[in-house]
Amino acid sequence: MNKITQILIILSIFTLISCGGNSGNQPATAAGFSIIEKEIKSEFGDNAYFTDISIIYDKTIGNIVTITVTKDPNSLKMGQWNLTQGVWKQNSEISLEVPKGTKAADFMYQLNDQINLTKLGTYIEQAKKQLQNEKSLKNPSLSIAAIIFPKNGDISKTEYSISLKPENGGTTFQFYYTLNGELRKMEY
């Protein structure tokens, strides 16, 4: 192997390392979750359809993104995928059944202006501030955040669900925001 080939291989490895794993290190903020959304769209396309998206934070691994997605709702096939440390892995394939006279896309959503991860990140920031102000928690951390899409396909009932916990463990606080950003409920 000549020197030029070795240099090209090394540069390729550095490029892959610098591009991969970006989502795992993103903070639970609007800007951080916007980057995660771009990574999802880069892998599955801007027009992909989802039934589930959740982001779990693990102190040792970072963010773990779990999605159920399809590029073609009419196929009635979806894949369940995880993104961990920059690597996408398909866990299972799901076959859908929908009520007669409906389309599979009626029970799915797309990431766009109405539903997106940037909003989810914004609501996480709001929830953290609320815990800091009301419960005197200095640095609450994300446990899990998800977009909850209703099984009946009524997009107006979509919720953003956020679980936060104290940095060193303890009580988990659950926040539910409506599609338009109103805090519907906080429980612990």
Side-chain angles (χ1 to χ4, degrees), residues 105-175:
D106 295 339
F107 303 94
M108 301 176 189
Y109 60 93
Q110 294 181 291
L111 293 173
N112 52 34
D113 291 338
Q114 194 169 12
I115 299 175
N116 60 67
L117 294 184
T118 303
K119 284 183 182 180
L120 181 57
T122 298
Y123 304 147
I124 292 169
E125 292 178 76
Q126 290 174 7
K128 283 182 175 184
K129 284 180 187 170
Q130 184 174 341
L131 284 180
Q132 290 166 339
N133 294 334
E134 292 179 13
K135 304 293 182 188
S136 299
L137 290 179
K138 290 191 189 229
N139 193 17
S141 66
L142 178 67
S143 177
I144 185 169
I147 298 172
I148 309 294
F149 192 73
K151 299 216 180 292
N152 67 1
D154 183 357
I155 196 166
S156 70
K157 302 292 185 200
T158 303
E159 287 188 322
Y160 294 95
S161 170
I162 300 162
S163 293
L164 299 173
K165 60 184 176 185
E167 189 174 27
N168 297 316
T171 302
T172 299
F173 296 85
Q174 187 75 33
F175 294 82

Side-chain angles (χ1 to χ4, degrees), residues 77-89:
K77 301 273 187 219
M78 297 189 85
Q80 188 175 51
W81 292 79
N82 284 341
L83 173 61
T84 307
Q85 297 180 324
V87 178
W88 283 104
K89 181 180 178 193

Side-chain angles (χ1 to χ4, degrees), residues 4-168:
I4 293 175
T5 305
Q6 288 175 335
I7 291 171
L8 288 174
I9 290 172
I10 290 170
L11 286 174
S12 297
I13 290 170
F14 281 129
T15 302
L16 287 172
I17 290 171
S18 67
C19 292
N22 196 19
S23 65
N25 302 323
Q26 293 305 318
T29 62
F33 276 34
S34 176
I35 290 169
I36 293 172
E37 181 172 324
K38 286 178 185 161
E39 207 162 326
I40 292 170
K41 287 182 174 184
S42 172
E43 182 70 21
F44 299 99
D46 289 339
N47 296 317
Y49 287 81
F50 304 88
T51 57
D52 296 297
I53 297 177
S54 63
I55 300 165
I56 301 164
Y57 177 74
D58 180 277
K59 199 181 262 188
T60 58
I61 297 174
N63 294 320
I64 302 164
V65 180
T66 302
I67 63 174
T68 305
V69 63
T70 186
K71 293 179 182 180
D72 178 15
N74 294 327
S75 72
L76 299 178
K77 301 273 187 219
M78 297 189 85
Q80 188 175 51
W81 292 79
N82 284 341
L83 173 61
T84 307
Q85 297 180 324
V87 178
W88 283 104
K89 181 180 178 193
Q90 185 172 2
N91 298 324
S92 64
E93 189 169 295
I94 299 166
S95 296
L96 301 175
E97 289 185 33
V98 296
K100 194 171 187 164
T102 64
K103 298 182 221 167
D106 295 339
F107 303 94
M108 301 176 189
Y109 60 93
Q110 294 181 291
L111 293 173
N112 52 34
D113 291 338
Q114 194 169 12
I115 299 175
N116 60 67
L117 294 184
T118 303
K119 284 183 182 180
L120 181 57
T122 298
Y123 304 147
I124 292 169
E125 292 178 76
Q126 290 174 7
K128 283 182 175 184
K129 284 180 187 170
Q130 184 174 341
L131 284 180
Q132 290 166 339
N133 294 334
E134 292 179 13
K135 304 293 182 188
S136 299
L137 290 179
K138 290 191 189 229
N139 193 17
S141 66
L142 178 67
S143 177
I144 185 169
I147 298 172
I148 309 294
F149 192 73
K151 299 216 180 292
N152 67 1
D154 183 357
I155 196 166
S156 70
K157 302 292 185 200
T158 303
E159 287 188 322
Y160 294 95
S161 170
I162 300 162
S163 293
L164 299 173
K165 60 184 176 185
E167 189 174 27
N168 297 316

